[in-house]
Every structure is written in C-alpha cells, then in structure tokens.
C-alpha cells in the first residue's frame, strides 16, 4: 500500500500542473485554453476529453512501472533464476481491448466535430464573408459584400458566423486565431480553404501565422477585433469614406507617387501592400510593434512605431518586400512627417 | 604464421586509415557509422542549443531571422537523416549478423557503399554552411517556400542533392539487412526464434524499402523544379504544392517508425537481459511490430489535417492514426510485464531502457491527442507538436540508442563503459530532456507557434522558454558526459568477457568481445528462442556448433565503394552549380558545361565497371589460423 502511495506522490506535481493549466492559464486573447468562441470551445472540449483519457492511461502505466521497479529490483545474493514466463493470453487480450475502447471513446466525438467544422458557410446568407489573402508577411482581409479591403486588423461583428475563404499570394501560410478556433492553411489557387469562426464577446484577439513562410514567419501576426453590429456598420461606413491625404501638398504628392503605387488609403492607391486606411487606430504597426492604444506592456506611441518601421523596414521584419523609404528618396524629416500623418489617420468608430 | 592460400591471387590487407577506407567488415562499418553519426549528432545538437539560446528570452537577437530558419532546417534534417539514422545503422551493423549467427551481412561490398554514400551525402549537405547559405525552408521543405522564387540561395539544392545521395546509402543498407536476415540466419533460427532487435531491424528495413523511393522521387522532382525549371509544384504551370506534402509525408510518416522500431527492438533486448527474464509476449511483440509498420504507411495525412483535405479524409486518417495506439500499448505492457517477477538491475543501459518507457508513453499519448483532427487544428504547427515529436524521437529513440550503446559497447569495442559516468549521463540527459520538452506542450496550448525566430514579451511564453533552454543545456552536458565516458573507456585495455552482463540471452554474447573478423568459428545451432540463454540453462558453456571447423571464406577489402561515393559527391556539386553565374570564367566553363557533373559520374561509373569486370573471390581463413586465434 505504501508503495502505491509513492507512485501517486510522484504523479502529483504532474496532475497539479495539468489542473492548473487547464483551469485557464494564458491570455484570454491568445490561449487555446481560454476559448472565446464556440469553435475554440468545442476544440478545447475535445482536448480536455483526450487529456483526461490519456492521463488515466499514464497513471496506470506509471503506476505499474513504479510498482515493478520497486518490487522486483535485484537484491543482494539473489541468484536463483526467475521463472521464464512466455506470456499470458488473457492479459494480452485485455491490454489490446482496453486501448481499443479508449480510442473508440475519443473517435466518436472526433468524427462528429470533423464534419461539424468541415461545413462550408461561404454561401450561407447569414454569414459575414471574408476573403483572407496571406502575403510575406502580412494579412489582407477583403469583405466582398461590404466593398472593404483592409489589412492586419480584421474587424468582425460579435456573435455572427464569419465565413473565411483562405488563400495565399505567395508561399503557404496558416491562419490561426487560437482563442477563436484552430488554424487552417492558406494554400495557393486551386486548393483554396474555407472555415467558419464565431466570436462570443467583444474583444481584440491575437492571430498568428502558423506555417513557416520565410524569415519573418514569427512576426506575421494580426488582430481580430470583435465589435457589436452597430460598431461594425460604423466601421464599414468610416472605412469607405474618401481618402485623407497629408495636409502638406508637396508631401501628399510624394506620398501618392511613392507609397500609393502599392498601398491604398480610402478610395486611392493600389492593393500590392497592406491597406493603410485608418492605420492610426490599429493596435500594431507591422504586427509586432505594439501601439500604445492596445494598452499592453511594451507599447509605444503609434507615431514612434511608424517612424521605427519606416526608417528601416528590414530591421523590423526581415525579408519583407517593402522598399526602404530612404531608397525612394524620403528624407528623415519627411519620414517623420509621413509617420505623423499616418498615426493621425484614424477611423472614427 | 605460414599458411596455404586456396586463392590464385594474394589478398591485400591494409592497415591504418586505408584499412578503414576499404573495410567491408560489418563490425568496422558499424563503428564507422557510429563515428560519422555521432559527429552529425553533435552538429545537430549544437544547432539545437543555438535555437534554444535564441529563444531564451523574448525578442532576442542572437541570430538573424534567416540564420534561425537555416538552423531549424538543418537541425531537423541533420538529426533525422544524419544523426539518429546512422547510429541506428551502426547498432544494426554491429549486432544483427551476430544475433542471427552470421559471419557478415549478405553483401559486404554494398554495406560499405551504403556507408560511404551516406557520409558523402551528409558532408555535401553540411557544406552548405560554408558555401553560401544552408537550406532554410524547414526540414519538410514545403513548396513554394523551397522553390527558387522564395529560397534563392543554393541551400535547398544542398538539401535535395545531399539527401538524395545519403538516402541512396540508407536504401542500400535496408535492402542489405533484408537479404541478410532472410537468408543468413543460423540453422535452427526460424523467424519466430529471432531476437526482437533483429525483428525490428527486419521490419525497419522493409519500411525503408517502401518509404525511401517516395522521398527519392520527391527530391528528384524538387531538384528538377529548382535546377532545370520543371513545374511539378508550380501552380501557374499546373503543378501543386500539396503534391509535395503528400509525397513528403508518404515517406515522412513511415520514416518516424523506421526510426522508432529499432529503439523498440533495443528496449526488448535490454529489459529482458537486466530482468533475467525472457521477453513477455514475444509473438504479440512481433505482431505489434508488423502492425505498426503497416499502419505507419496509412497515416501520412495526419500531418496535413490543416492543409484542407476535407472532413472525409481527416476522419479516416484520424481513426487510422489512433489505431496505432493499440499495438504500441501492447508493447508497453509487454515490457512492463517482462520486468514483473524478474530481478531488475539498474545498469546505465537499463536506466535508459526504463527511462524510455514513461517518456515514450508520454510521447505516445500526445500522439493520440494529435490524431484527433479537430483538436489538431489547435495543436498543429505549435510547440505542442514540437514537444510531442521530441518526446517520441528523443525520449524514445535517443533513449533507446543510449541504452543500446551502453549495452553493446563491450561487444563492439571489448570494453565496458564506466557505469558511474553512464549514470551521470542518464540523469543529466533525462532531467534536461523533461525540462526542455515538457513545458513546450503548454507553450503550444498558450499560443506559441513553432519555427518562430522570436516572440513578443508578456504572452506567457517567457518563463517556459527560459526553462526549456536551461533543459537543453543540461541535455548537452549529458551528451558531454557520454563523450567523456567514451574517451575514458577507450584508454582502458580491451578485456570484456564474452558475456559481460552475465545474463546475455542472444547469440552475440556467446562469442568474444569484440568478435573475431569471422564472428563465429563454427556457425551455432539454434535450439530455441534466446539461443545462448537456453544453452546456458542446459549447463553448456558454449553454443552447440552446427558445422565442423573448416576454412572460412572472407570478402576482400575494397576502395571502390569510397570512390563510387566520391564520384557521386562530385557529380552532385556539379549538378547543383550547373546554372550558377560564376565571375570566374574557368569555374563557369567546368560547371556550366556540366564538366564537373560528367567527371563525377565518370568516376562512379568507372568504379562500377571495375567492380564488374574484376573478379574478386575474396580469400579463406584456414583452419590452422582459426585454431591459433579465436580465444576469448
């Protein structure tokens, strides 16, 4: 009996750690263990079920192992040959059957959920459609029903099904918002993926790229802002307002010729780079420079982040395809002015 | 020592370096595999430590983003193909012929060729570090990231061509072991009397036979895309990146079992020896091994749940994957019940074998968790997966290899490794291992994706990454303790008895340590499972021979395998740089006109022709000489 307790004692820290973590560690806006939507919740339920089954398996195996190792260690002067046991059919059948049963218990909800999450809501009139296009190293979000094409920050209405169409513009990436649901790869044309997520409450969630996509793979984050219906409509309306350009005419001209060949603001510009409309109200610059509006530790004023990014984009995000503004003929002073203009370009919502 | 030769020509016997370059003796080739594998394992380990040091704190800048991707790619590739695989081959070479009572492998010349192609392939791959950029697209080299559009250095060319040459060696080795085990077992050793390690080596070799052609095809397609402008993976031209994923994982998943099955075999040898009991449920172990191999080919798409194959495929591959838990469970319980009622000795080898059981169980249960596709949408490409496969490959395979090396070291080198240092190795490595990888499960669940060069602070990643790095350093110290053990032991005189563990059960323990070059003076007669143990229990000191003492035929040493591999190595470099723009006109001439490629291939073909035209019947060791040697 004492020995059995020893086995339990050895396992206690492990169990405690499991309990601690599963009871809700991590950030609400990031952790798989703190789901904020039905998809992530369903996936966590499955994770919990499998962890429980597997913990039982481990306890049994470790228990037997501990017992055997303590009980059957060779003692001094023990020289007789132990009985050479060939096997035991009954035992072997038992430990074939029990894992089969355990697998079955896990298999049933697995299959249910595979088909549930495999459903395509792209043609569901209730759902909000978003075309996600991944780029090295940023995210483009297009709302075909609203005529909005934004970048880096996905704004969605709370409680509504969001139907995503996922594809890539270059290499494979993977679209992942841990607290809303599992990931899905963004493939090339011809194997485009669909998935549906729902956010239960208004908050901003962190999204990540999960597929190795080049040097700045780790810096390819995005934000998902879940807002109520009214705020969403207001955001759409604000987004579609005519472009605001820098007040200084010369700077505006320079901005137009150099920046808007790739980027867009409002109704002007191109779609090669991230859309900059309302960039001043986003939580991050280049997805890893945190703006002070996010209120998280380590944040800096939006303008400072923009200056850091524009002074040397390669230092912030190695391997990205944006030309260095200095090579385009911007002086340090002009870069600061552009940063100032962009930092103040906010969407009123 | 004058003795008559039956041969018309005299036999060249080399010494020193030439002896090692020309050897066709499976025991020496085993040692070569061990040294080369150990070297690459060290390189992969240094890469691992650098990765962990980069991640020790948020937004660290120890290495650049590009170098980090090269490090993770080379760490994975090196460890899988050049680190653990050759050490497995080292153990298989050193042990299999002895366990089945054979004098060598079926094709000693090919065995040597397999080693040299592996080594030259490995060297080629690692040359990338000093020749303008290592591969940087991950060890899986997913397209389009691995195409010239997004990976513009020659890194991925080193990957495709280096692995192609090294993979040739693995395939040759696998076929050789199949032939050896099928045809060269001692009289009386039926399949169901084979030692478990031989069984797993046999199944592993069969898996190599079926899995490696897939990766060969994939690497050819990828190198054609990169070097010859083919379009197998180019969507615009009708190709498909998902095709690469299928080809890669049809090889890649069986590869995982190619790696782990020999470890299962080692554990099945070490635990019975140090429990003084026969393996519990031998026939169910054999059955489970075959079943695992079979299922191993059925589950490749579980690496692709998030690729978007659709719910039907995901459901099927989920269930198939979960089923692997059943034969694996059978094995775990059989090992536990082998120890039940035995007399367990905690030698270093057995510590690793015992340590293997819980670590592998933990890797196994997370494997079942990953098999559930909807949950995998959350785990996939996160540190949870990193934790899982390191529990399987390090906690399973590397523990198994350490167990096997400590166990068979006296048989390979005639010296028993120092037990105190061995135990230090185990505890440092095991504690470091759990510290490194246990916390990574949680990192994944908290939202840390894998293969990221750095991470922002305050995401709850900081402390766990720090712990993980400390663990990795501890593992490194554990490996150094093993190296210290090897050095210290090699200074001692050769003096291990035939059966240093006293409870050896299989044939290799019935002959001297290290064995003479012909292994068995007389091929033994096998009268049951655990042949040597059976004789010992019957009161015999030696195996009953199945033949009278007679002259033993030996194959001649040959430099040709080395030359053939060198030719392939040169041809590989020639192919790789055939489209390169050199500033030097001489270099342009010899590479762009395919001269280097052709010279390399000519060297290889010339060596092949020499091998075909020159009849070498080997030589005989005569009876008088046998009587003179062969003492323990």
């Amino acid at each position: 009996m004492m020995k059995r307790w020893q086995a339990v004692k050895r396992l206690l820290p492990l169990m405690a750690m499991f309990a601690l973590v599963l009871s809700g560690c991590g950030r609400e806006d990031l952790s798989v263990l703190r789901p904020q939507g039905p998809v992530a919740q369903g996936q966590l339920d499955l994770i919990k079920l499998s962890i429980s089954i597997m913990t039982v398996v481990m306890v049994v195996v470790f228990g037997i192992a501990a017992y055997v190792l303590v009980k059957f260690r060779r003692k001094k002067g023990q020289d007789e040959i132990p009985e050479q046991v060939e096997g035991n059919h009954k035992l072997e059948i038992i430990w074939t059957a029990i894992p089969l049963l355990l697998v079955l218990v896990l298999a049933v909800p697995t299959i249910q959920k595979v088909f549930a999450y495999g459903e395509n809501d792209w043609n569901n009139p209730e759902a909000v459609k978003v075309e996600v296009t991944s780029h090295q190293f940023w995210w483009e979000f297009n709302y075909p029903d609203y005529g909005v094409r934004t970048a880096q920050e996905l704004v969605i209405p709370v409680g509504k099904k969001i139907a995503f169409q996922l594809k890539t513009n270059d290499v494979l990436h993977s679209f992942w918002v841990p607290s809303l649901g599992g990931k899905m790869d963004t493939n090339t044309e011809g194997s485009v993926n669909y998935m549906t997520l729902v956010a239960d409450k208004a908050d901003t969630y962190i999204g990540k790229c999960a597929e190795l996509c080049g040097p700045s793979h780790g810096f390819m984050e995005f934000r998902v802002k879940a807002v109520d219906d009214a705020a969403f409509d207001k955001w759409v309306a604000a987004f579609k307002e005519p472009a605001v350009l820098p007040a200084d005419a010369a700077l505006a001209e320079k901005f137009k010729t150099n920046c808007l060949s790739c980027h867009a603001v409002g109704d002007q510009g191109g779609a090669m780079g991230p859309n900059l409309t309302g960039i001043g109200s986003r939580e991050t610059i280049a997805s890893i420079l945190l703006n002070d509006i996010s209120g998280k530790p380590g944040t800096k004023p939006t303008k400072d982040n923009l200056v850091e990014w524009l002074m040397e984009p390669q230092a912030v995000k190695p391997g990205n395809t944006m030309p260095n503004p200095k090579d385009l003929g911007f002086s340090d002073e002009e870069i600061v002015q552009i940063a100032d203009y962009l930092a103040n370009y906010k969407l009123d919502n | 020592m004058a003795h008559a030769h039956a041969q018309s020509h005299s036999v060249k016997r080399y010494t020193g370096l030439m002896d090692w370059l020309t050897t066709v003796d499976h025991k020496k080739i085993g040692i070569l595999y061990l040294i080369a594998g150990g070297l690459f394992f060290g390189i992969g380990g240094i890469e691992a430590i650098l990765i962990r040091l980069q991640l020790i704190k948020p937004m660290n800048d120890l290495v650049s983003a590009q170098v980090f991707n090269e490090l993770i790619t080379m760490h994975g590739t090196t460890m899988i193909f050049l680190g653990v695989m050759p050490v497995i081959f080292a153990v298989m070479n050193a042990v299999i012929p002895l366990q089945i009572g054979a004098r060598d492998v079926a094709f000693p010349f090919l065995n040597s060729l397999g080693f040299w192609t592996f080594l030259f392939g490995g060297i080629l791959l690692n040359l990338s570090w000093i020749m303008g950029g290592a591969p940087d697209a991950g060890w899986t080299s997913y397209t389009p990231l691995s195409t010239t559009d997004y990976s513009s250095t020659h890194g991925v060319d080193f990957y495709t061509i280096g692995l192609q040459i090294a993979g040739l060696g693995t395939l040759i080795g696998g076929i050789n072991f199949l032939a050896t085990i099928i045809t060269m077992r001692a009289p009386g050793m039926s399949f169901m009397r084979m030692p478990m390690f031989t069984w797993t080596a046999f199944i592993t070799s069969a898996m190599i036979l079926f899995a490696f052609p897939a990766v060969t095809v994939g690497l050819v397609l990828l190198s054609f895309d990169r070097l010859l402008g083919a379009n197998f993976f180019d969507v615009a031209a009708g190709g498909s990146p998902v095709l690469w994923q299928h080809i890669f994982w049809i090889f890649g998943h069986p590869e995982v079992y190619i790696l782990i099955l020999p470890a299962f075999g080692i554990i099945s040898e070490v635990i019975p020896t140090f429990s003084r009991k026969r393996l519990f449920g031998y026939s169910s172990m054999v059955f489970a091994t075959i079943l695992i191999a079979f299922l191993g080919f059925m589950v490749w798409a579980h690496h692709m749940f998030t690729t978007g194959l659709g719910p039907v495929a995901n459901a099927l591959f989920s269930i198939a994957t979960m089923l692997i838990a059943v034969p694996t469970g059978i094995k775990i319980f059989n090992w536990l019940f082998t120890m039940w009622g035995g007399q367990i000795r905690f030698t270093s080898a057995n510590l690793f074998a015992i340590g293997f059981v819980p670590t592998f169980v933990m890797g196994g249960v997370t494997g079942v968790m990953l098999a559930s596709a909807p949950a995998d949408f959350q785990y996939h490409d996160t540190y949870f997966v990193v934790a899982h496969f390191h529990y399987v490959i390090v906690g399973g395979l590397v523990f198994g290899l350490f167990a096997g090396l400590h166990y068979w070291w006296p048989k390979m080198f005639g010296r028993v490794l120092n037990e105190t240092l061995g135990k230090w190795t185990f505890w440092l490595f095991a504690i470091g291992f759990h510290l490194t990888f246990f916390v990574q499960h949680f990192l994944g669940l908290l939202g840390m994706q894998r293969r990221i060069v750095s991470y922002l602070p305050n995401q709850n990643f900081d402390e766990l990454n720090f712990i993980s790095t400390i663990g990795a350093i501890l593992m490194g110290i554990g490996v150094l303790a093993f190296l210290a053990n090897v050095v210290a032991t090699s200074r001692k005189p050769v003096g291990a008895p035939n059966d240093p563990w006293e409870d050896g059960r299989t044939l290799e323990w019935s002959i001297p340590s290290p064995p003479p070059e012909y292994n068995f003076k007389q091929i033994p007669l096998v009268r049951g499972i655990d042949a040597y143990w059976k004789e010992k229990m019957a009161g015999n000191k030696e195996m009953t021979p199945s033949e009278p003492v007679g002259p033993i035929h030996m194959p001649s040493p040959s430099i040709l395998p080395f030359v053939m591999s060198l030719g392939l190595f040169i041809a590989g470099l020639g192919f790789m740089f055939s489209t390169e723009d050199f500033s030097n006109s001489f270099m342009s001439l010899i590479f762009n006109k395919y001269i280097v490629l052709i010279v390399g291939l000519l060297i290889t073909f010339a060596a092949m022709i020499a091998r075909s035209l020159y009849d070498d019947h080997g030589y005989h060791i005569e009876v008088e000489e046998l009587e003179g040697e062969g003492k323990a």
Side-chain angles (χ1 to χ4, degrees), chain A residues 51-71:
Chain A
I51 284 197
S52 312
I53 296 174
M54 295 310 147
T55 309
V56 170
V57 171
M58 290 205 297
V59 168
V60 170
V61 173
F62 292 2
I64 296 175
Y67 176 76
V68 168
L69 292 179
V70 173
K71 175 92 200 250

Side-chain angles (χ1 to χ4, degrees), chain A residues 107-125:
Chain A
V108 172
T110 293
I111 304 242
Q112 280 170 348
K113 291 209 163 84
V114 162
F115 284 95
Y117 300 149
E119 257 173 47
N120 185 347
D121 284 299
W122 190 247
N123 294 317
N124 180 349

Side-chain angles (χ1 to χ4, degrees), chain A residues 79-305:
Chain A
D79 271 334
E80 82 286 356
I81 301 294
E83 193 195 343
Q84 302 292 303
V85 185
E86 192 168 323
N88 183 323
H89 277 299
K90 250 187 227 154
L91 277 175
E92 284 168 60
I93 288 169
I94 290 173
W95 63 59
T96 310
I98 292 177
L100 261 176
L101 280 177
L102 293 179
V103 163
L104 200 67
V105 172
L106 185 59
V108 172
T110 293
I111 304 242
Q112 280 170 348
K113 291 209 163 84
V114 162
F115 284 95
Y117 300 149
E119 257 173 47
N120 185 347
D121 284 299
W122 190 247
N123 294 317
N124 180 349
E126 310 266 289
V128 176
K129 285 192 225 174
V130 181
E131 289 172 7
V132 177
T133 308
S134 53
H135 301 254
Q136 276 181 328
F137 300 92
W138 58 281
W139 296 89
E140 178 182 342
F141 303 112
N142 184 34
Y143 300 67
D145 294 340
Y146 295 91
V148 168
R149 183 185 293 274
T150 186
Q152 294 299 76
E153 266 190 29
L154 173 66
V155 181
I156 57 169
V158 164
K160 280 230 176 84
K161 279 188 174 177
I162 316 295
F164 292 103
Q165 184 202 60
L166 306 162
K167 60 180 176 191
T168 181
N169 185 54
D170 37 56
V171 304
L172 307 189
H173 304 265
S174 192
F175 178 83
W176 186 33
V177 193
S179 44
L180 295 185
K183 62 192 72 65
M184 190 59 85
D185 291 0
T186 61
N187 293 332
T188 44
E189 211 62 65
S191 46
V192 172
N193 281 327
Y194 295 88
M195 78 188 278
T196 306
L197 294 178
V198 181
D200 278 341
K201 68 170 207 215
D203 198 352
T204 305
Y205 306 103
I206 299 178
K208 306 223 170 200
C209 173
E211 183 74 86
L212 178 65
C213 59
S216 285
H217 161 57
F219 303 141
M220 190 176 158
E221 297 190 356
F222 58 100
R223 295 291 184 276
V224 181
K225 235 180 222 170
V227 295
D228 60 41
D229 280 353
F232 180 72
D233 292 339
K234 210 172 153 198
W235 174 76
V236 170
F239 199 95
K240 295 168 83 167
E241 304 245 313
V244 180
L245 287 173
D248 181 297
L251 190 68
E253 196 49 43
K254 201 160 183 186
F255 178 74
K256 266 169 116 172
T257 43
N258 287 297
C259 307
L260 293 189
S261 53
C262 296
H263 296 281
V265 285
D267 48 357
Q268 296 191 30
M272 260 173 73
N275 190 306
L276 302 177
T277 312
I279 189 171
S281 37
R282 290 185 194 158
E283 290 205 347
T284 68
I285 297 302
S287 73
I288 53 156
L289 302 175
L290 302 179
N291 295 335
D292 52 4
I293 47 173
S294 67
K296 306 268 157 45
T299 58
K300 276 190 303 187
T302 312
K303 186 182 157 189
D304 293 3
N305 283 335

Side-chain angles (χ1 to χ4, degrees), chain B residues 563-582:
Chain B
V563 175
M564 285 180 195
S565 311
L566 181 67
L568 285 177
F569 174 82
I570 294 169
L573 279 176
F575 186 44
M576 195 181 309
F577 289 100
S578 59
T579 53
E580 177 86 354
D581 290 322
F582 292 96

Side-chain angles (χ1 to χ4, degrees), chain B residues 397-416:
Chain B
L397 176 60
V398 177
F399 273 47
L401 286 176
F402 270 125
L405 287 177
H406 283 88
Y407 181 59
W408 279 305
W409 201 268
K411 191 49 67 184
M412 287 177 80
F413 297 99
R415 303 172 176 96
V416 184

Side-chain angles (χ1 to χ4, degrees), chain A residues 26-27 32 46 51 72 74 80 84 86 92 110 170 172 176 178 183 185 187-188 193 208 210 214, chain B residues 69 150 235 245 276 278 281 284 306-307 343-344 369 372 377-378 380-381 438 445 451 458-460 505:
Chain A
R27 273 167 62 157
V32 172
L46 207 51
I51 284 197
F72 298 109
R74 189 172 184 182
E80 82 286 356
Q84 302 292 303
E86 192 168 323
E92 284 168 60
T110 293
D170 37 56
L172 307 189
W176 186 33
K183 62 192 72 65
D185 291 0
N187 293 332
T188 44
N193 281 327
K208 306 223 170 200
Chain B
N69 284 357
Y150 301 103
V235 184
Q245 297 179 25
R276 307 189 96 192
R278 68 172 281 181
S284 66
T306 66
T307 301
Q343 298 166 7
I344 304 170
M369 291 171 68
S372 175
F377 294 158
Q378 289 285 22
H380 189 78
D381 271 333
F438 187 70
L445 293 174
R451 292 167 160 173
N458 304 310
Q459 298 183 93
N460 295 311
R505 309 180 71 86

